[in-house]
Amino acid sequence: MRRTILITGGAGFLGSHLCDRLIADGHDVICVDNYFTGRKQNIEHLIGHPRFELLRHDVTFPLYIEVDEIYNLACPASPIHYQHDPVQTTKTSVHGAINMLGLAKRLKCRIFQASTSEVYGDPSIHPQTEDYWGNVNPIGPRSCYDEGKRCAETLFFDYWRQHRLEIKVARIFNTYGPRMLPNDGRVVSNFVVQALKGEPITIYGDGNQTRSFCYVDDLIEGFVRLMGSPRELTGPVNLGNPGEFTIKELAELAIEMTGSKSTLTFLPLPQDDPKQRQPNISLAKEQLGWQPNVPLRDGLRHTIEYFDRLLSEGAAA
């Protein structure tokens, strides 16, 4: 059934891919972004499409609009960006959630929250399951994002309990692919851009900390399945790739796949940086029939091609 769907943060990395997917599925999409980290280039191919509408708006202010579903993706998601203005980051997570939940309550529509594996903090259990409460520093430099997202989850579940609002909460693990910002400080974009430029690849810590990398197309499929799941499945649901790699392994793979002569440089580990991060996706497999299908090498190839094109155009210099 054709729906009108609001995507906040729709010009961002994940949001723009979700716009593409929902347009392809035949829906009308209203993309909202304030361009703090989103970019018009990510959705410029959709401008002029009869089922696509673009609004410049900051979700910390109320939005009055008529839609059938809401995906709330608005929030800077990389440490460089969310630590640039930590107060605004917390406001985006908390005030943004309040405003979008209020809109969903008025419209009596289903709403999706893009939460994060950062709610688990520096986890003391491995891999992480949805019933784990996390190990989070509430007053550190990453807290604006970690605690902001935790508070947003609290709000979603209180609206579900108090107002019977239909909610869907996804906890997103490391995701990569085309349209990542070249300067966002995330490990995949950092390593690929440095390798393409032939610069030393910067590893924080000894490189033995682990991450799990999910290609963006796989993640968006998980979003759509969770949003379309029965009302009773509120989440939170882990969405990510359980394949675990050390940071050093990723750096070496980036060098190999780009044919780069880059060397490895080691710097101190930032405060509160998680040492392990791997999703347990049993719930997503069981309830959504979802699991990632794109191998790391295949996803990296697409990502490298994207950044190579950006560099050749001078956009990632």
Side-chain angles (χ1 to χ4, degrees), residues 134-149:
N135 176 35
V136 178
N137 177 0
I139 58 169
R142 301 170 67 100
S143 307
C144 58
Y145 184 68
D146 302 1
E147 296 287 38
K149 288 288 192 178

Side-chain angles (χ1 to χ4, degrees), residues 21 71 112 170 216-228 237 239 284 288 290-291:
R21 169 62 187 268
Y71 284 86
F112 176 104
V216 62
D217 290 357
D218 282 335
L219 186 78
I220 297 303
E221 175 65 26
F223 281 14
V224 172
R225 290 193 188 199
L226 178 56
M227 187 61 125
V237 175
L239 295 178
L288 305 176
W290 177 88
Q291 62 182 8

Side-chain angles (χ1 to χ4, degrees), residues 72-109:
N72 186 39
L73 274 58
C75 190
S78 75
I80 282 180
H81 292 131
Y82 66 63
Q83 290 172 11
H84 172 72
D85 189 345
V87 171
Q88 185 63 24
T89 296
T90 304
K91 287 171 69 175
T92 300
S93 285
V94 178
H95 292 189
I98 290 168
N99 287 329
M100 289 306 111
L101 286 162
L103 177 62
K105 180 188 170 195
R106 179 175 71 81
L107 298 174
K108 297 181 173 61
C109 74

Side-chain angles (χ1 to χ4, degrees), residues 112-117 119-120 128-133 149 153-154 156-157 160-161 167-173 226 232-239 280-284 287-288:
F112 176 104
Q113 168 67 3
S115 191
T116 171
S117 60
V119 301
Y120 298 124
Q128 292 80 58
T129 52
E130 290 88 351
D131 58 359
Y132 175 52
W133 290 358
K149 288 288 192 178
E153 286 197 13
T154 300
F156 266 71
F157 279 89
W160 172 65
R161 282 184 286 262
I167 64 164
K168 303 289 177 181
V169 177
R171 289 180 178 162
I172 303 164
F173 284 69
L226 178 56
E232 298 73 34
L233 182 61
T234 58
V237 175
N238 287 340
L239 295 178
N280 180 315
I281 60 167
S282 300
L283 183 62
Q287 298 292 330
L288 305 176

Side-chain angles (χ1 to χ4, degrees), residues 3-317:
R3 299 183 187 90
T4 299
I5 301 174
L6 170 64
I7 304 174
T8 71
F13 164 47
L14 297 180
S16 62
H17 284 279
L18 182 59
C19 287
D20 285 342
R21 169 62 187 268
L22 295 177
I23 289 283
D25 286 350
H27 300 297
D28 295 320
V29 169
I30 300 175
C31 167
V32 165
D33 211 295
N34 69 347
Y35 305 117
F36 179 60
T37 55
R39 302 192 307 163
K40 279 187 182 173
Q41 295 97 307
N42 289 340
I43 42 84
E44 64 185 355
H45 60 286
L46 293 173
I47 295 173
H49 191 289
R51 287 186 282 105
F52 180 78
E53 187 175 346
L54 179 61
L55 293 177
R56 183 171 193 142
H57 181 80
D58 186 326
V59 295
T60 61
F61 298 95
L63 180 65
Y64 302 100
I65 198 169
E66 303 296 318
V67 294
D68 302 310
E69 285 181 353
I70 301 167
Y71 284 86
N72 186 39
L73 274 58
C75 190
S78 75
I80 282 180
H81 292 131
Y82 66 63
Q83 290 172 11
H84 172 72
D85 189 345
V87 171
Q88 185 63 24
T89 296
T90 304
K91 287 171 69 175
T92 300
S93 285
V94 178
H95 292 189
I98 290 168
N99 287 329
M100 289 306 111
L101 286 162
L103 177 62
K105 180 188 170 195
R106 179 175 71 81
L107 298 174
K108 297 181 173 61
C109 74
R110 184 169 286 195
I111 181 169
F112 176 104
Q113 168 67 3
S115 191
T116 171
S117 60
E118 299 297 336
V119 301
Y120 298 124
D122 188 5
S124 55
I125 68 161
H126 190 74
Q128 292 80 58
T129 52
E130 290 88 351
D131 58 359
Y132 175 52
W133 290 358
N135 176 35
V136 178
N137 177 0
I139 58 169
R142 301 170 67 100
S143 307
C144 58
Y145 184 68
D146 302 1
E147 296 287 38
K149 288 288 192 178
R150 284 163 70 93
C151 185
E153 286 197 13
T154 300
L155 286 161
F156 266 71
F157 279 89
D158 283 337
Y159 266 78
W160 172 65
R161 282 184 286 262
Q162 189 171 337
H163 302 296
R164 305 310 300 162
L165 195 64
E166 290 193 45
I167 64 164
K168 303 289 177 181
V169 177
R171 289 180 178 162
I172 303 164
F173 284 69
N174 290 58
T175 305
Y176 70 98
R179 301 183 196 157
M180 295 181 82
L181 290 170
N183 60 346
D184 69 0
R186 293 195 227 192
V187 66
V188 171
S189 47
N190 268 8
F191 288 1
V192 168
V193 170
Q194 287 171 338
L196 286 169
K197 289 181 171 183
E199 297 173 351
I201 290 189
T202 307
I203 293 178
Y204 296 94
D206 60 10
N208 289 320
Q209 66 269 40
T210 65
R211 295 293 185 271
S212 308
F213 303 103
C214 184
Y215 189 62
V216 62
D217 290 357
D218 282 335
L219 186 78
I220 297 303
E221 175 65 26
F223 281 14
V224 172
R225 290 193 188 199
L226 178 56
M227 187 61 125
S229 65
R231 178 190 179 110
E232 298 73 34
L233 182 61
T234 58
V237 175
N238 287 340
L239 295 178
N241 194 322
E244 189 179 17
F245 296 86
T246 69
I247 297 300
K248 190 166 180 281
E249 285 175 326
L250 180 70
E252 290 166 346
L253 189 56
I255 290 171
E256 176 203 325
M257 292 186 66
T258 56
S260 176
K261 292 184 168 53
S262 292
T263 55
L264 304 183
T265 296
F266 295 86
L267 295 175
L269 195 66
Q271 182 183 340
D272 301 331
D273 195 61
K275 296 170 192 67
Q276 292 180 305
R277 187 53 57 73
Q278 182 190 20
N280 180 315
I281 60 167
S282 300
L283 183 62
K285 282 182 176 178
E286 178 189 326
Q287 298 292 330
L288 305 176
W290 177 88
Q291 62 182 8
N293 296 312
V294 179
L296 182 60
R297 279 184 176 271
D298 291 353
L300 271 182
R301 189 176 69 252
H302 295 307
T303 309
I304 289 166
E305 289 168 358
Y306 171 76
F307 281 121
D308 196 28
R309 189 168 69 251
L310 276 191
L311 285 167
S312 67
E313 295 167 354

